[in-house]
Amino acid sequence: MDEMLTLDNVSLSYQTIHGETEALRGVSFDVAKGEFVAIVGPSGCGKTTVLSVVAGLLKPTDGAVVLDGKRVDAPGGNVGYMLQKDTLFEWLTISKNVELGLKIQKKLTPESRAYAHSLLEKYGLAEFAEHLPGQLSGGMRQRAALIRTLAFRPKILLLDEPFSALDYQTRLSVAENVSGIIRDEGVTALLVTHDIGEACSLGNRVIVLSPRPATVRKIIDIPLPSGPEKRREHKRFGEITNGIWKELKN
Amino acid sequence: MKRKIMTPHEKYLKEVRRGKIIIKLWQFGLLAAMLGLWELLTAVGAIDAFFMSSPSRIVMTFIDLAAGGEFFYHIGVTLLECLIGFAVSMVVGSIIAVLLWLSVGARKVAEPYLVVLNALPKIALGPLIIIWVGSGMKAIVLMAVLICIVVTVISVLEGLCATAPDKLLLLRSMGANRFQLLRYAVLPSALPTFLSVTKINVGLAWVGTVMGEYLVSGAGLGYLIVYGGQVFKTDLVMTATVTLCVLAGGMYALTALAEKLLKRRNKKRGAGQVQ
Ligand SMILES: Nc1ncnc2c1ncn2[C@@H]1O[C@H](COP(=O)(O)OP(=O)(O)OP(=O)(O)O)[C@@H](O)[C@H]1O
Ligand SMILES: [Mg+2]
């Protein structure tokens, strides 16, 4: 299979004056091109650490991360990182926010700008392009944040509990929305969550991590049709989430 | 005749407007009452106008001084010293703060120095200042700068360091370098702090200037106050003091206005509210 991301035996320990915290121990997995992989694990187990390592923000103590055939050891502008809070810059208009990555990477050309704006257009935010983020609803902001990460065409999208700041109703519709955009654009994505239902409704595969130090406990294929809503209504959905829940528990 | 029926919101707005007017009336009323009482008590001789001066004598003194033209020279000198002191501390102080932000090492090394400099009563440096730069305008400006700059460095640096870590993380994941972090996240986040430091410095620059003039000057409002005190001309002291009040207040009002305009401009860039 055509791999986009490979983690090979990645270990990481945080060093502080008070001592050492072992966060990851020998974590290995692959993500194929165009695949959507979800990671679940108990709180504090090292999920965010996995994403930071993939983004090159942290250097593994041991092991290697390979993104699209190249070893990652510093932020290279190849990942689109989406955080729990949308972190739109409140002093920039939506369109300026969306162009931010392009500007940072000095890739802002008429073509790239047109692409960014076509995304806004396609996903219903064109009329708000000149608005400030504070004037948009939580769901719209999350969509804008997603478009911002897509605008510079990253090789992989890293999503760190991107919906957890939203209330339950909004969360379902935004998840539906966001996963639709990711599928449409054919982006490879790695999602971190502690919500098993969310993982199963979005991922092609779900990686279950152990408590800290995180090791890969199991990798589960989700053999369901795509689309969160369709999945949640599928008769096997409960059985699969239960299986993952049991895996997390023991 | 039909009275126009007000909606609850219109009623609310009317109440708010009324409240504002009442506050303004009280503010002016209080001033008028104090001035009136002062005038009255000196007029009937209950207090001695020689020591206390009086509103009418202040006005007369002002007219006399203004007619001579020399008064405006003194105002000009003080204003110039204050503006230079203010501008230099804002610019140099902010640059130092940015440099300290860029280098974590330098920031840690500088910290105890900033703390001590901040705690030090700058007036204690007066004699040294005179030895170093002489007893001219330079000394006065230096005094103003010393008083403003430490606060500027400390507060602006605090504002720069308060940038949301999430925003920095996001930019770093996009591959931003330190200067891009500064330009795209840190400086814009620190803008409100910068504006409040500006307002604080408007006040401090006046403190520094007058303090400097007490120390060395041969001209300026501070000089007039000291001179008036020495020769027991209470009217002159009071007139110069009132002029200082008006100037400092005016400069503060200008700063507040500039801030308001800046905020409005920022808001305007995102048109109408979306529901
Ligand atoms: N900068 C750091 N320095 C020291 N220890 C850290 C640091 N960042 C995280 N840790 C520790 O490493 C462990 C894993 O953290 P991480 O944030 O990756 O967990 P997580 O699974 O994302 O947690 P959560 O569910 O709360 O989001 C935690 O025990 C945390 O306390
Ligand atoms: Mg986390």
Side-chain angles (χ1 to χ4, degrees):
Chain A
M1 217 201 236
D2 211 358
E3 303 303 350
M4 177 57 96
L5 174 73
T6 306
L7 270 76
D8 181 19
N9 225 353
V10 170
S11 300
L12 187 138
S13 297
Y14 288 103
Q15 304 292 345
T16 63
I17 326 167
H18 309 292
E20 196 180 49
T21 310
E22 190 183 2
L24 309 179
R25 181 186 288 175
V27 173
S28 300
F29 63 85
D30 299 309
V31 180
K33 280 201 172 114
E35 194 183 17
F36 195 130
V37 171
I39 298 179
V40 292
S43 113
C45 75
K47 302 182 294 292
T48 299
T49 308
V50 171
L51 295 189
S52 301
V53 167
V54 173
L57 296 166
L58 290 174
K59 246 194 164 116
T61 322
D62 204 12
V65 179
V66 178
L67 179 62
D68 201 21
K70 281 193 212 82
R71 202 173 156 139
V72 177
D73 46 15
N78 294 318
V79 305
Y81 206 154
M82 202 167 144
L83 299 122
Q84 175 177 354
K85 257 186 62 212
D86 58 53
T87 62
L88 289 173
F89 288 22
E90 59 271 17
W91 56 84
L92 296 177
T93 59
I94 295 300
S95 96
K96 288 269 184 292
N97 260 296
V98 164
E99 290 166 6
L100 193 62
L102 294 167
K103 238 185 207 160
I104 296 281
Q105 301 175 1
K106 308 211 160 36
K107 286 193 209 152
L108 192 61
T109 59
E111 294 81 47
S112 66
R113 175 181 275 145
Y115 173 65
H117 284 255
S118 74
L119 288 175
L120 284 177
E121 185 91 38
K122 193 159 159 193
Y123 300 112
L125 287 174
E127 57 175 311
F128 305 116
E130 297 315 313
H131 285 67
L132 293 173
Q135 300 168 309
L136 270 60
S137 69
M140 284 157 95
R141 292 166 60 112
Q142 220 35 315
R143 239 186 299 156
L146 177 67
I147 292 172
R148 174 172 67 183
T149 54
L150 292 174
F152 58 95
R153 301 179 192 266
K155 296 200 165 130
I156 190 166
L157 208 60
L158 306 176
L159 306 143
D160 195 349
E161 311 204 11
F163 314 123
S164 54
L166 305 169
D167 63 81
Y168 188 70
Q169 282 304 320
T170 322
R171 195 168 167 167
L172 289 184
S173 75
V174 173
E176 184 80 34
N177 238 304
V178 163
S179 80
I181 297 175
I182 290 173
R183 248 179 300 133
D184 282 359
E185 303 300 320
V187 200
T188 313
L190 187 58
L191 166 90
V192 151
T193 175
H194 57 253
D195 180 337
I196 299 170
E198 197 167 282
C200 291
S201 64
L202 292 167
N204 301 116
R205 284 188 295 152
V206 174
I207 298 175
V208 182
L209 296 180
S210 70
R212 192 178 67 78
T215 54
V216 176
R217 204 168 241 179
K218 195 153 195 196
I219 300 182
I220 299 158
D221 279 303
I222 310 291
L224 299 177
S226 50
E229 215 181 296
K230 246 191 277 166
R231 279 190 175 186
R232 281 180 195 275
E233 284 159 6
H234 198 277
K235 60 180 187 309
R236 288 196 54 205
F237 188 76
E239 165 202 337
I240 292 170
T241 49
N242 257 327
I244 293 175
W245 191 70
K246 286 211 184 90
E247 203 60 53
L248 266 172
K249 283 281 278 192
N250 60 45
Chain B
M1 210 169 74
K2 230 162 87 183
R3 253 185 88 216
K4 192 173 172 292
I5 299 159
M6 282 196 291
T7 66
H9 184 67
E10 281 170 345
K11 252 188 208 152
Y12 167 79
L13 284 182
K14 200 178 162 197
E15 277 304 306
V16 170
R17 261 197 305 272
R18 227 171 73 94
K20 269 190 188 159
I21 291 170
I22 289 174
I23 297 285
K24 278 270 174 293
L25 282 178
W26 269 102
Q27 286 170 338
F28 280 110
L30 201 59
L31 182 69
M34 283 192 305
L35 291 178
L37 193 66
W38 186 4
E39 186 66 47
L40 186 74
L41 289 178
T42 43
V44 301
I47 54 176
D48 192 342
F50 179 72
F51 290 112
M52 285 300 292
S53 187
S54 76
S56 59
R57 289 172 72 140
I58 290 174
V59 172
M60 294 308 293
T61 315
F62 188 88
I63 291 169
D64 275 355
L65 286 171
E70 208 181 318
F71 193 51
F72 294 110
Y73 166 71
H74 289 292
I75 291 179
V77 167
T78 302
L79 200 57
L80 185 66
E81 289 161 348
C82 179
L83 287 176
I84 295 175
F86 170 77
V88 169
S89 357
M90 282 309 291
V91 172
V92 178
S94 303
I95 291 174
I96 293 175
V98 168
L99 292 177
L100 289 178
W101 183 86
L102 282 170
S103 159
V104 181
R107 184 154 78 221
K108 286 193 177 137
V109 172
E111 199 184 278
Y113 291 94
L114 286 176
V115 170
V116 171
L117 280 178
N118 191 34
L120 177 79
K122 272 53 129 193
I123 188 79
L125 298 174
L128 277 180
I129 293 177
I130 298 173
I131 294 172
W132 291 338
V133 300
S135 59
M137 196 167 176
K138 262 193 224 155
I140 297 162
V141 172
L142 188 57
M143 181 56 96
V145 169
L146 280 175
I147 285 186
C148 298
I149 201 164
V150 186
V151 176
T152 310
V153 173
I154 292 176
S155 314
V156 173
L157 184 59
E158 215 166 88
L160 296 175
C161 290
T163 311
D166 274 3
K167 294 202 167 81
L168 297 177
L169 191 74
L170 182 89
L171 288 181
R172 287 210 300 133
S173 79
M174 290 171 167
N177 60 35
R178 249 182 129 54
F179 292 99
Q180 288 177 318
L181 294 184
L182 191 67
R183 171 161 169 220
Y184 292 105
V186 176
L187 290 180
S189 310
L191 187 65
T193 316
F194 186 79
L195 291 177
S196 76
V197 172
T198 308
K199 277 203 276 193
I200 291 169
N201 271 346
V202 166
L204 284 183
W206 284 104
V207 173
T209 308
V210 174
M211 215 140 89
E213 285 184 347
Y214 281 6
L215 213 64
V216 296
S217 74
L221 290 170
Y223 161 79
L224 286 185
I225 292 171
V226 174
Y227 166 75
Q230 282 164 352
V231 299
F232 259 81
K233 279 193 183 167
T234 323
D235 294 336
L236 180 60
V237 175
M238 285 292 188
T239 308
T241 309
V242 169
T243 312
L244 263 180
C245 279
V246 172
L247 286 177
M251 197 156 140
Y252 186 87
L254 276 181
T255 324
L257 183 73
E259 183 184 350
K260 210 166 154 185
L261 289 178
L262 194 72
K263 280 200 180 137
R264 184 173 306 163
R265 205 196 65 181
N266 279 351
K267 228 187 227 141
K268 231 195 206 144
R269 284 199 324 203
Q273 179 81 25
V274 187
Q275 291 308 327

